[in-house]
Amino acid sequence: AAPVSKPEPKKTGLPQTNKRRSTAVQEVEKLQANREKRRAQQAQVYETQERMKNKDNGNPNWEFMNMIEEFKEELDINPLQDGDPIANHQITVCIRKRPLSNKELKAKEIDVITIPSRDT
């Protein structure tokens, strides 16, 4: 395909100070700028994910573990003190948690229970 050349404007002797671009060219430039912004944002997200993956290399649940760690960092710890008044509630929930088995540890399962107390 032969290159398409633009017709040369007529020379009138006056300088052309007001060059206007077509709206199509402006839209294409806008799309290119937006594309570059999106690519930069995607590169940052990818870099962040790679850093998180490399924290615990080989863990298939790295994303879930990261969410739990973020939650624990934001958790407000309010431990019980001796002498605190005992509230009479209609419902009391008690939980007994078993430790992870060797099979679960080898599969790199995540222990998700968090109890905000002074001892943990």
Side-chain angles (χ1 to χ4, degrees):
V4 178
S5 62
K6 294 180 182 178
E8 293 186 15
K10 295 180 185 177
K11 294 186 179 186
T12 60
L14 298 173
Q16 291 184 345
T17 57
N18 192 9
K19 293 183 180 180
R20 293 186 182 188
R21 292 190 240 163
S22 70
T23 56
V25 172
Q26 290 174 350
E27 283 297 315
V28 168
E29 288 175 350
K30 237 190 263 184
L31 290 172
Q32 286 176 337
N34 288 340
R35 184 180 307 122
E36 292 302 318
K37 286 179 188 175
R38 279 194 315 271
R39 286 181 179 165
Q41 288 173 345
Q42 288 171 346
Q44 287 177 343
V45 168
Y46 180 75
E47 184 180 314
T48 304
Q49 286 180 342
E50 285 300 313
R51 273 198 314 263
M52 285 187 245
K53 279 183 191 179
N54 293 333
K55 254 186 183 179
D56 189 8
N57 203 8
N59 189 344
N61 302 316
W62 65 271
E63 197 168 12
F64 183 59
M65 185 175 69
N66 187 49
M67 289 171 34
I68 292 170
E69 288 175 359
E70 286 177 3
F71 173 76
K72 285 180 179 181
E73 288 173 1
E74 296 173 4
L75 193 60
D76 185 27
I77 298 177
N78 230 349
L80 293 175
Q81 303 287 329
D82 281 342
D84 283 348
I86 298 173
N88 188 9
H89 298 288
Q90 291 181 345
I91 298 174
T92 301
V93 177
C94 297
I95 298 173
R96 181 175 183 264
K97 186 215 169 285
R98 66 170 176 78
L100 293 177
S101 69
N102 287 337
K103 182 179 178 182
E104 291 168 329
L105 291 172
K106 286 179 185 175
K108 297 193 177 187
E109 293 289 331
I110 299 172
D111 195 3
V112 295
I113 293 181
T114 302
I115 302 170
S117 71
R118 200 182 304 231
D119 302 332
T120 55

